[in-house]
Structure formats: structure tokens, C-alpha cells
Amino acid sequence: MSFVRRKFLTGAAAAGGALAAPAISRAQNRVVLNWKMTSAYGKGSPFYMDGPGSATDLAKRIREMSDGRLNIQVFGAGELIPAFEGFDAVRAGTVEMNHANSYFWTGKAFAAQYFTAVPFGMNFQGINGWLYDGGGIDLWNEVYAPFGMVAMPCGNTGVQMTGWFKKEIKTVADLKGLKMRIPGLAGKVYANLGVDVKVLPGGEIFPALERGVIDAAEFVGPFQDRRLGLQKAAKYYYTTGWHEPATVSELLINKAAWDKLPKDLQAIVSNAAAACNVISEGWCQKANSDAMEDLKKQGVIARPLPDDVIKALRAETNKVLAEAVAKDPLTKKVHDSYFAFKSKFDRWSEVSEEAYHVKVRD
Ligand code: CA
């Protein structure tokens, strides 16, 4: 196509045609932007860095849709900066974008937790309803405004798994003293129940679990967990993740750089991110269905946590959230918006999606 266009322009320009001038002037004024996007996940990490809806797929879609006007070079964790320094790098403008999860930044702004996943919170459908149509994205940007950044969802794992445990969990007491990799608010909840919480980047989980530096770990779901080899380091796989019912990937953008983007490129970024949000979740359904079958064949013991343990985790989650809300008005504002939406969504879900799965589906 570019050959045809060049040939046309050359021919038209040579002929001094009236059409040539604006066409050539557009070509000469074409501005190509080269941006950098870092990730909290290592190069090649499935879902986050590789595959449909990943950071590299997002950059490819933006490059294609903008016809090469916005080129985003993607860096895995450790390639340009360490895993969890994306927030500071985007804030400083060292890089224009970071691809991760907002719950890594709760030390900077606690309310960031709500834009990734809230324990016992909303599923993929609910969180998207809140983010896109219930004011969630506006609140996300309000939380980041003091840092000079904007954000949007760009991926979702769907419900995650509770995680891998070397020993069976029969009662709440079994959690006491357990060394576990678990980020975010769920980490605080476990800590209150006596767990020694560790926040390790994805790449460090397997060696730590295998060597016994930690006794338990959550990462994502069957496909990604199997890729890390976690089934070789622990045999109990606790299922339905109470802690992350639908984990949102975050596209974090330096606001000054965003404001300078032409409107069409802003639209391309927003639409590519929304596409990746859906496409990545679809991919997870396929990849996890296959991987779960395989893990069971490998002898993994997959089961939900006992009801009493779930009950204790829920009670502790409510306490942790209440404390956070009491401390910070912006957290309260986000919390109230999230739970007002959830309350209506739950009532709707009871007669729609949930009812379908419990009462109608074979
Ligand atoms: Ca996780």
C-alpha cells in the first residue's frame, strides 16, 4: 500500500496536480511518537507480556491502528527498571506508560486497590460495569491526579485462584505462621490472621516456594501458575480466589504526555486498551480451562478453602476495608461508589448470571 501511495504522490507531484499538495504536506507533517512502556511482569510472561490482550499485543494494536504514528517499546520487569518501579517512572516521565496492576501502588494511594480487585468484590462483568459506566475510571483518575497520571483498564484475568499451599488448610489456625506470597489488600487480610506476607515479583515465586523460603503463594490462575511450575513446588491448589474475583490490568500513563497526544491517538490508545481488556479475559477462559484439566492429571489437589476459613477471611476483609475508609476520605469516596454499584449489581446478578449458573445451566 505504501508503494502505491508513494507512486501516486510522486506521479501527482510531478504533474503538479492540485491533489498533490495536501497529500504531500500531510506526509511531511506526519509526527511519529516513540514511547516507552514498562511492565511489572517479566519479558514473555503469559497474559501480561505475551499473548492476546497482553502489553506487547496492546502496543502492536496501537502501532497498527495509528499506522506507525505511535510506537510503544515494551520493557519487561528488570529490563529498564525493577518490577515495581513503574509508578515512579511514569510519574517522573522517565517512561510514558506502565502496564501492571494498580494494587501494587496502595502504599502511594490506598484507593488504588479498588481498581484492581477487591476481596469478596465484583466479578469481570461487575467491575467493568462500575469502571466504564459507574464512574470507576473517573475515580481512578481522581486518585492519580495528584501524581500527574491517568489510567485505564487494559486487561483482566477473570477470577483468580486462592493459590498453592505445601500443607493442607483445614482451619484458620493453619494459616498462622505461614509464609505466603500475596500482594495487595488480601495480603493485609492474611497478615491479620497470622500469615507472614511476602510480595515477590512473578519470576521469584517458584524458586522461593520450591526452596521453602515461602510455604504458599498466589499468582494468577491455572495457565500462568502452571507456566511458573508452581504445581511442582506445592500440591494443594485452593481454587476460587476470594481475594481477586476479577483482576484488572492497569495502563498507567503520564498525564503531560497524554495531554500532548493528538485526539485521534488518544482514541486509539483508549480503544486498544478496551479491546485488550476483553480479549485478554477471553483468552484466560480458554487457557485456564485447558490448564486446569492438565493440572488435575498431574495429581494436583484442587479444592475450595473450607467454609470457616472463607468466613474468617471475609470478616477480616471487612475490618481492613473499614479501617482504610476511616483513615482516608478519598478511599471512602471510592469505596462508597464501588459498594453502591456492587449492591445493585449483586441483586441484578442474582436473577441473571448467578441464577443461570446455579439453576439453569446443565
Ligand atoms: Ca494474583
Side-chain angles (χ1 to χ4, degrees), residues 77 147 353:
F147 304 98
E353 298 291 341

Side-chain angles (χ1 to χ4, degrees), residues 103 160 181 218-220 243-244:
Y103 67 7
Q160 296 203 354
R181 184 269 180 187
E218 81 79 52
F219 184 43
V220 183
H243 65 307
E244 295 188 39

Side-chain angles (χ1 to χ4, degrees), residues 25 32 62 77-78 86 109 136 166 208 217 254 308 323:
S25 129
V32 172
I62 293 170
K166 283 177 176 284
N254 179 282
D308 281 356
E323 281 165 17

Side-chain angles (χ1 to χ4, degrees), residues 22 31 72 85 288 335:
V31 176
I72 299 166
E85 288 187 13
N288 285 332
H335 177 98

Side-chain angles (χ1 to χ4, degrees), residues 160-164 220-226 231 235-240 284-304:
Q160 296 203 354
M161 294 286 103
T162 293
W164 300 86
V220 183
F223 187 91
Q224 285 98 325
D225 294 2
R226 184 182 59 170
Q231 73 279 9
K235 86 177 162 179
Y236 291 96
Y237 195 23
Y238 285 96
T239 53
T240 308
C284 282
Q285 299 309 318
K286 163 75 171 78
N288 285 332
S289 304
D290 292 343
M292 196 62 172
E293 296 292 309
D294 179 53
L295 286 171
K296 284 181 184 165
K297 277 186 205 146
Q298 290 189 43
V300 162
I301 301 166
R303 60 170 69 141

Side-chain angles (χ1 to χ4, degrees), residues 94-136:
T94 317
V95 300
E96 288 83 3
M97 290 174 158
N98 187 69
H99 190 282
N101 310 98
S102 62
Y103 67 7
F104 292 129
W105 323 131
T106 51
K108 318 266 185 189
F110 185 84
Q113 173 73 42
Y114 292 79
F115 312 111
T116 301
V118 176
F120 300 100
M122 288 187 277
N123 67 5
F124 180 66
Q125 290 155 325
I127 187 83
N128 281 317
W130 179 63
L131 287 172
Y132 289 116
D133 297 302

